[in-house]
Amino acid sequence: MSDARPPQELASIVARRLAEKRGEFAVIGLARSGIAATRLLRAAGLSVYVSDASRSEAVRSAAAMLEREGASVDVGVHNVQRIAHCSLLVVSPGIPPTAPPIRAALSAGVPVVSEVEVALRLQPALRSIAVTGTNGKTTTTALIGHLLRALGHDAADVGNIGTPVSELALMKSPPVWAALELSSFQLHDTPGIMPDVGVLTTLSPDHLDRYANVTEYYADKKRLFANAVQTSQWVTTADNADVEALVAGIPGQWHRFSVQRTDVDGYFHRGSGMLHVFGEPLVARDQLALVGDHNVANALAALLAVMAADPSHRIPSARALLANAIATFSALPHRLEPVVDHNGMLWLNDSKATNIDSTNVALASMTRPSIVLLGGRHKGESYTALIPELLRTAKAVLAYGEAGALITGDLEAPLHGRVMVEHCGSDNFEQVMRRAGALAVAGDVVLLSPACASFDMFNNFEARGREFARLANVLAGDAP
């Protein structure tokens, strides 16, 4: 269920209701984005009702703080009738559109929007480069923020990367620029999105545990372009047929990047080892301290986006600053992050790889025999798509978690005799790690790239990655 009104009409209604300040504004979800949205709405002088179905200690603590700031709060329940009569409902991206309070709001004609939509409406002077895509969006967003700051701008990395956009508006001196990561869930409820530059990194099936099919998932990604006009600036990959199909016919000025072609605005020239951007070589590949062609693509996307955002970013002095900045950017946690390199064995934390395509990207980056840890909560895709890269690089696959039996079933027969596939159980991650340590020898990589969500055994992918790193260090210390 979703709002049938065109994005432009819905965005106009949202802007008008925020300006009129009439009635009560509702927020559901007391995680970080919900807290920030509530505080921003209260700071704007609006009456706010906020609720969360959880009764956890963290939720109760947040509720008490927001009550002190003048919000009306329910913990452990949503007042659906109250929500159906509100002026606007702000939703957390983790709450599915089928949730009763959202259904009640939509049935009553109440606009349902993200924290991002509200925050951007209340910060009209904020300049933004918005990034979405199945994979690569977090690294690209972080690179964009890094590059903007290298040019001397006051810039923050916000959105799905971790910091709510609303928190910027609450600062005494808000930044001028935002590198804004947007998930499909956030885009679903952000009808007014209109960035200075929009970036689409990649597309592949994902979140099929929430979407009925890949078409629905891609439709939410396409919402980045809902307000496109001829002067809009867009950056997209030329290496993904689904991206090319999705953006066909959308107005704007298009800047494409590739690690396979050279007839685009940003590309990797393998002969010279240089990244070329807007017609000239900019920086050598070996200056980028990130593993894999996918990270070359991320760097090209970020460079194009920053240089397209303002003409002053393309002048020779700015290009020199950007080239130097690329060399000072390091890998983000949980994204092919080296955590231990001991006795010739490298342990790589790629816990953020929560879908098949992301794990395939990680496998394609491997140049050494790999022991691959796959598992977690199944997201609806077959694991057979991993077979070609596993055959190329893996010596063993350790399947674990809720999806362990599915992974074993998909991979055991096709890999039999060439790659060992072992089911390590569903509830003991330390056991999986100890088995990996027993199999690894000098020259091997132990790669956590799960291709699954983390929620069977961990609260999030960060917790999974931290536990991988902790146990890898323990096992390295135990090694002779």
Side-chain angles (χ1 to χ4, degrees):
M1 186 175 186
S2 60
D3 201 308
R5 289 171 287 195
Q8 295 83 356
E9 179 184 340
L10 193 56
S12 178
I13 294 170
V14 171
R16 186 170 63 250
R17 294 191 179 180
L18 287 170
E20 291 172 345
K21 300 185 178 182
R22 289 204 298 263
E24 187 171 64
F25 292 73
V27 178
I28 59 172
L30 273 170
R32 189 170 177 182
S33 67
I35 294 168
T38 302
R39 296 189 67 223
L40 178 58
L41 291 169
R42 286 296 303 138
L46 302 171
S47 174
V48 183
Y49 165 69
V50 57
S51 60
D52 195 301
S54 171
R55 296 180 183 272
S56 70
E57 184 177 341
V59 166
R60 289 182 179 277
S61 175
M65 176 191 70
L66 294 175
E67 283 180 332
R68 289 193 296 270
E69 296 191 11
S72 174
V73 187
D74 274 340
V75 171
V77 66
H78 299 294
N79 187 328
V80 174
Q81 287 188 333
R82 190 170 179 177
I83 289 169
H85 288 89
C86 68
S87 294
L88 186 72
L89 175 61
V90 182
V91 298
S92 163
I95 300 174
T98 53
I102 298 178
R103 293 177 66 89
L106 291 172
S107 295
V110 174
V112 176
V113 298
S114 67
E115 172 267 336
V116 175
E117 177 71 22
V118 169
L120 292 178
R121 288 285 162 190
L122 294 175
Q123 298 178 86
L126 182 68
R127 301 193 67 181
S128 66
I129 299 176
V131 183
T132 196
T134 304
N135 297 309
K137 58 184 179 293
T138 302
T139 298
T140 301
T141 302
L143 268 163
I144 287 168
H146 179 72
L147 295 174
L148 287 169
R149 289 185 288 273
L151 292 173
H153 294 301
D154 186 2
D157 306 345
V158 294
N160 195 58
I161 200 168
T163 300
V165 189
S166 296
E167 290 190 7
L168 302 186
L170 295 167
M171 296 178 179
K172 288 185 178 179
S173 299
V176 177
W177 284 89
L180 171 58
E181 181 186 350
L182 293 170
S183 69
S184 58
F185 302 161
Q186 289 169 315
L187 281 167
H188 182 84
D189 297 312
T190 309
I193 186 69
M194 203 168 180
D196 289 75
V197 182
V199 182
L200 177 58
T201 56
T202 62
L203 282 177
S204 59
D206 196 9
H207 298 299
L208 299 183
D209 51 343
R210 173 152 163 174
Y211 291 98
N213 50 57
V214 73
T215 302
E216 283 190 5
Y217 168 58
Y218 283 7
D220 274 357
K221 290 296 189 187
K222 192 173 183 178
R223 289 174 187 252
L224 176 66
F225 310 100
N227 300 292
V229 295
Q230 290 299 330
T231 55
S232 298
Q233 299 271 357
W234 307 116
V235 173
T236 57
T237 179
D239 296 337
N240 185 295
D242 286 351
V243 168
E244 297 275 86
L246 187 82
V247 303
I250 294 172
Q253 299 178 38
W254 293 86
H255 313 291
R256 298 158 76 222
F257 61 92
S258 175
V259 294
Q260 301 171 9
R261 301 164 49 174
T262 59
D263 59 340
V264 290
D265 292 312
Y267 62 90
F268 176 39
H269 189 276
R270 294 184 186 275
S272 65
M274 297 293 292
L275 275 64
H276 287 238
V277 185
F278 286 124
E280 298 178 34
L282 182 76
V283 64
R285 165 65 180 96
D286 61 14
Q287 292 298 298
L288 178 65
L290 300 177
V291 175
D293 274 2
H294 66 292
N295 277 317
V296 176
N298 294 337
L300 289 167
L303 287 164
L304 281 173
V306 170
M307 294 170 76
D310 195 286
S312 66
H313 298 171
R314 295 199 205 182
I315 63 176
S317 59
R319 291 177 67 95
L321 288 171
L322 293 172
N324 290 334
I326 284 290
T328 61
F329 185 83
S330 56
L332 296 177
H334 316 296
R335 295 161 179 84
L336 284 177
E337 175 195 17
V339 294
V340 178
D341 192 348
H342 183 70
N343 287 344
M345 291 173 281
L346 176 63
W347 298 69
L348 282 178
N349 168 21
D350 195 39
S351 183
K352 184 62 172 65
T354 59
N355 58 65
I356 299 296
D357 189 61
S358 188
T359 295
N360 253 331
V361 166
L363 292 171
S365 302
M366 295 300 102
T367 58
R368 293 159 57 174
S370 304
I371 297 160
V372 184
L373 278 56
L374 298 176
R377 178 160 292 172
H378 185 57
K379 294 178 74 177
E381 299 176 79
S382 169
Y383 301 93
T384 55
L386 299 173
I387 289 170
E389 285 297 337
L390 288 170
L391 285 170
R392 185 189 67 81
T393 192
K395 62 182 281 186
V397 171
L398 302 183
Y400 69 91
E402 288 181 5
L406 282 171
I407 294 167
T408 305
D410 278 357
L411 300 181
E412 193 167 33
L415 297 180
H416 182 70
R418 299 180 65 181
V419 178
M420 185 188 81
V421 178
E422 186 173 310
H423 187 193
C424 294
S426 61
D427 59 0
N428 191 327
F429 192 68
E430 182 172 350
Q431 175 184 316
V432 180
M433 292 289 287
R434 291 196 175 277
R435 180 59 176 150
L439 292 172
V441 298
D444 286 352
V445 172
V446 178
L447 172 66
L448 171 68
S449 191
C452 294
S454 58
F455 304 122
D456 57 338
M457 299 166 73
F458 302 95
N459 289 332
N460 48 52
F461 75 85
E462 294 97 337
R464 177 170 61 189
R466 286 193 296 270
E467 182 65 359
F468 173 84
R470 185 188 73 81
L471 289 168
N473 277 283
V474 168
L475 293 168
D478 288 346

